[in-house]
Amino acid sequence: MIQNFLDFLMEFGALGLFIHSFIDAVIFPIPALFLQIPLSLVNPSNALWLATVGFIGCLLGTPVGYWIGRSLGSAVLYKILKKSWVESATKLFQRNGETAILLGSFTPIPFKVFTILSGTLKFPLWRLIAYAAIGRAVKFYVVGLLFYLYGRSAEGMMKNVSLYIFAIAVPLVLVFLWVRKRIRRKRQLVQDNKTETL
């Protein structure tokens, strides 16, 4: 059933990937990567364009997933996804929402878990979109760049695509955490100085 739907979307090329990426952020259980790779394989010169289309579709779907979570709560997640995925994402989110979204963009856990969970936990929508933009850009463009540079031979690299994505993702997350820590420390110093002045 799902494979038939993927085959149907594939016939529409970039538009099919846009639709897949959009619903990937909302409710569909199969990541858009499963359509991006075969479409990039057909015409590697279009791989960066496909990455852009997928990226935009995902970002537009993100607020929809968010409002589903805001309106219906986390119960909807348990109905459409594995319990282990939901529980892993919830634990990660409760520790640090921003990091959870960034890491969630790279992990095998479907991204809709994080969009819906953000709404359920009333995480600020603008932050969800900002962090999703960083994470999803890496995921879509790593695949797009590999096909654009190496053509059809990049298909063999797809077995290790998670490794490539993670190699880029981990430094990004670490830099993000370091910058955020510095900003918070500066704010705290300013706050302490104001308190002492009073």
Side-chain angles (χ1 to χ4, degrees), residues 53-72:
V53 169
F55 174 67
I56 292 169
C58 178
L59 281 193
L60 291 176
T62 295
V64 178
Y66 178 89
W67 287 111
I68 287 174
R70 192 86 187 232
S71 307
L72 304 176

Side-chain angles (χ1 to χ4, degrees), residues 159-175:
K159 291 180 285 185
N160 298 317
V161 72
S162 296
L163 186 63
Y164 299 131
I165 291 169
F166 216 70
I168 295 170
V170 170
L172 267 178
V173 172
L174 290 175
V175 168

Side-chain angles (χ1 to χ4, degrees), residues 45-118:
S45 62
N46 280 342
L48 290 178
W49 165 242
L50 289 168
T52 303
V53 169
F55 174 67
I56 292 169
C58 178
L59 281 193
L60 291 176
T62 295
V64 178
Y66 178 89
W67 287 111
I68 287 174
R70 192 86 187 232
S71 307
L72 304 176
S74 59
V76 69
L77 287 172
Y78 287 101
K79 289 180 180 177
I80 60 171
L81 294 167
K82 291 179 184 177
K83 186 180 176 184
S84 59
W85 282 349
V86 179
E87 288 174 352
S88 297
T90 303
K91 284 176 189 172
L92 190 57
F93 218 102
Q94 286 169 341
R95 281 199 299 270
N96 193 317
E98 292 98 335
T99 308
I101 294 166
L102 279 173
L103 289 175
S105 300
F106 315 114
T107 63
I109 299 171
F111 191 60
K112 74 222 30 83
V113 174
F114 295 92
T115 61
I116 295 173
L117 206 53
S118 296

Side-chain angles (χ1 to χ4, degrees), residues 8-65:
F8 173 74
L9 289 177
M10 180 128 180
E11 291 178 19
F12 292 92
L15 177 61
L17 180 60
F18 177 85
I19 294 167
H20 190 163
S21 301
F22 183 92
I23 59 177
D24 175 30
V26 179
I27 201 164
F28 197 57
I30 306 297
L33 191 71
F34 285 81
L35 191 59
Q36 184 188 3
I37 290 171
L39 283 173
S40 299
L41 193 59
V42 170
N43 192 350
S45 62
N46 280 342
L48 290 178
W49 165 242
L50 289 168
T52 303
V53 169
F55 174 67
I56 292 169
C58 178
L59 281 193
L60 291 176
T62 295
V64 178

